Amino acid sequence: MATCGKRHNEFLSMFKQMTLRGFLTRHAHNEGLDPSLICLIENIASACRVIGDRLRNAVFEDNLGLAGETNVQGEDQKKLDVIADEAFIRICGSSPRLAALVSEEREDAMWFKEPQAGDFLLFYDPLDGSSNTDVNLSVGSIFSICNVETNGDRDIQKAGRSQNCSGYAIYGPTMMLVLTVGSGVFGFSCEYGTGDFRLTHPRMTIPTETSEFAINASRYRFWDAPVRRYVDECLAGNTGPRGRDFNMRWTASMVAEVHRILTRGGVFLYPADDGNRAAGGKLRLLYEASPMALLVEQAGGAATDGHSRILDLQPKGLHQRVPVILGSANEVGRIAKYHTADAGSAAS
Ligand code: P6P
């Protein structure tokens, strides 16, 4: 047994020697990854390193607090929102074959070239959960990459299933980059000192079962019946129909919630409710829900809006919001079943 454990540790330590560049180069060789995509991913990693540095030194560089502007979402921009957005544009904008960027912070797409088939479209939330910056809690950057399908095609509202890469950086006790290029989810920890992203979490997978849910419970009075039913049953614990106790988490940062779920399982809900239904929901489809849904499905989980698979949703606008329920497949399936039953009873 000890030998097996020793071999496992040797295997993991071998992985930790592999940098993001080494991993992507090996993927290029084994799976035909486009070298221009590798360059874009490395530029995204560089932008995230810069953002991580600015976050660490924000208090010394007077970068905490509000920028004094509102963004396209009508939200008060934090200084760090602006800094993170500018880092993505400055560092990723020069990537070969990058046709356009879509940022949470900007109303319109930013075009860099006449789109040619095979060029890249980058969608990103430069600083997700930025309400946490002034209280020193985890935040993140989320990114999604799709291809231009035909020459001259400026239709960039792609369904999530057409992504060829998605991921996030989480700026926590350790800065990590977690990504998928379509064959599993891989986590890279940023080594303090060298700044290298090293492969520390190969093939992250989500357990199908969980006893941990994440939802903003202060919105209980706005929830629809299926969500209330699910949460009430979790809260009833081993005295209720689930027959076991549940735990709840809420960090006000989707990146932190998804990272926890990719690491140990769980289910995250930001459903449609009476308070956000007119806006379509809370979370944005192109640069929050779709990239996270791809990661979750690649890790063996599921992601739905309550009725449809997130990756099948056809965007109707760059900043369209959607309901999001994602995580351990069996819990997501149960919640979707409650939505179907509720719709059925409403129809009869
Ligand atoms: P609430 C952050 O603003 C965000 O977009 C997600 O990262 C997070 O899950 C959610 O909104 C937090 O919402 O209702 O707690 O402010």
Side-chain angles (χ1 to χ4, degrees):
M1 196 59 181
T3 314
C4 176
K6 183 170 176 295
R7 272 208 305 272
H8 179 70
N9 291 336
E10 283 166 2
F11 178 71
L12 281 183
S13 65
M14 177 195 76
F15 262 119
K16 286 176 188 167
Q17 297 315 310
M18 184 175 285
T19 62
L20 174 64
R21 171 168 298 179
F23 171 83
L24 293 171
T25 307
R26 193 182 65 160
H27 242 68
H29 182 263
N30 298 346
E31 323 231 350
L33 207 58
D34 181 334
S36 299
L37 177 59
I38 291 177
C39 181
L40 178 53
I41 293 170
E42 286 210 281
N43 285 343
I44 291 169
S46 299
C48 293
R49 276 194 202 90
V50 167
I51 294 166
D53 288 346
R54 296 284 63 77
L55 284 165
R56 262 187 299 279
N57 285 333
V59 68
F60 303 114
E61 298 170 352
D62 190 27
N63 284 331
L64 293 176
L66 296 177
E69 304 288 336
T70 53
N71 64 12
V72 62
Q73 322 288 341
E75 296 163 344
D76 291 333
Q77 275 185 317
K78 290 284 184 60
K79 292 177 187 174
L80 288 164
D81 285 321
V82 176
I83 289 167
D85 185 46
E86 288 170 352
F88 264 86
I89 294 167
R90 176 165 46 82
I91 297 169
C92 299
S94 59
S95 305
R97 299 184 58 198
L98 178 69
L101 295 174
V102 172
S103 167
E104 185 217 22
E105 298 297 333
R106 295 167 183 267
E107 181 150 14
D108 303 313
M110 185 181 282
W111 287 91
F112 294 90
K113 68 189 290 286
E114 188 55 27
Q116 301 294 313
D119 285 348
F120 302 114
L121 304 168
L122 172 60
F123 307 87
Y124 64 97
D125 180 355
L127 200 60
D128 171 68
S130 57
S131 64
N132 283 345
T133 52
D134 295 5
V135 293
N136 198 23
L137 294 178
S138 291
V139 292
S141 302
I142 308 172
F143 58 90
S144 164
I145 302 172
C146 294
N147 279 117
V148 173
E149 284 157 13
T150 54
N151 291 351
D153 178 7
R154 285 181 174 262
D155 172 15
I156 53 178
Q157 296 174 7
K158 307 286 183 198
R161 62 176 176 271
S162 59
Q163 295 171 97
N164 52 24
C165 171
S166 79
Y168 59 80
I170 180 167
Y171 310 104
T174 300
M175 177 165 70
M176 284 189 70
L177 193 78
V178 176
L179 69 89
T180 181
V181 288
S183 47
V185 177
F186 296 84
F188 300 82
S189 300
C190 189
E191 185 179 39
Y192 186 72
T194 64
D196 282 341
F197 280 109
R198 294 194 182 282
L199 181 59
T200 51
H201 297 64
R203 292 208 181 278
M204 299 176 83
T205 54
I206 301 175
T208 52
E209 295 293 348
T210 184
S211 299
E212 191 162 71
F213 67 99
I215 193 167
N216 182 341
S218 71
R219 304 185 65 83
Y220 186 94
R221 67 188 186 282
F222 299 132
W223 293 343
D224 294 335
V227 175
R228 285 193 184 197
R229 174 183 174 188
Y230 177 73
V231 173
D232 287 346
E233 289 179 354
C234 290
L235 296 178
N238 61 17
T239 65
R242 301 301 307 273
R244 68 177 193 270
D245 290 340
F246 281 71
N247 193 24
M248 199 198 95
R249 287 283 182 271
W250 191 250
T251 67
S253 165
M254 185 186 197
V255 168
E257 312 286 2
V258 170
H259 189 71
R260 186 187 58 251
I261 289 169
L262 283 169
T263 308
R264 70 184 190 208
V267 61
F268 166 84
L269 302 90
Y270 215 114
D273 63 34
D274 291 342
N276 66 35
R277 205 183 314 279
K282 161 83 176 190
L283 302 175
R284 279 59 57 124
L285 177 56
L286 279 173
Y287 40 78
E288 289 177 321
S290 280
M292 293 311 209
L294 180 63
L295 285 166
V296 164
E297 287 201 5
Q298 282 286 316
T304 173
D305 67 356
H307 301 285
S308 306
R309 182 179 176 236
I310 294 277
L311 293 182
D312 289 337
L313 299 177
Q314 180 53 48
K316 300 182 185 69
L318 292 184
H319 303 289
Q320 178 190 351
R321 296 171 188 260
V322 294
V324 177
I325 298 160
L326 57 79
S328 294
N330 289 359
E331 287 304 293
V332 172
R334 173 184 288 267
I335 299 165
K337 204 160 50 176
Y338 291 179
H339 280 76
T340 305
D342 184 63
S345 59
S348 57

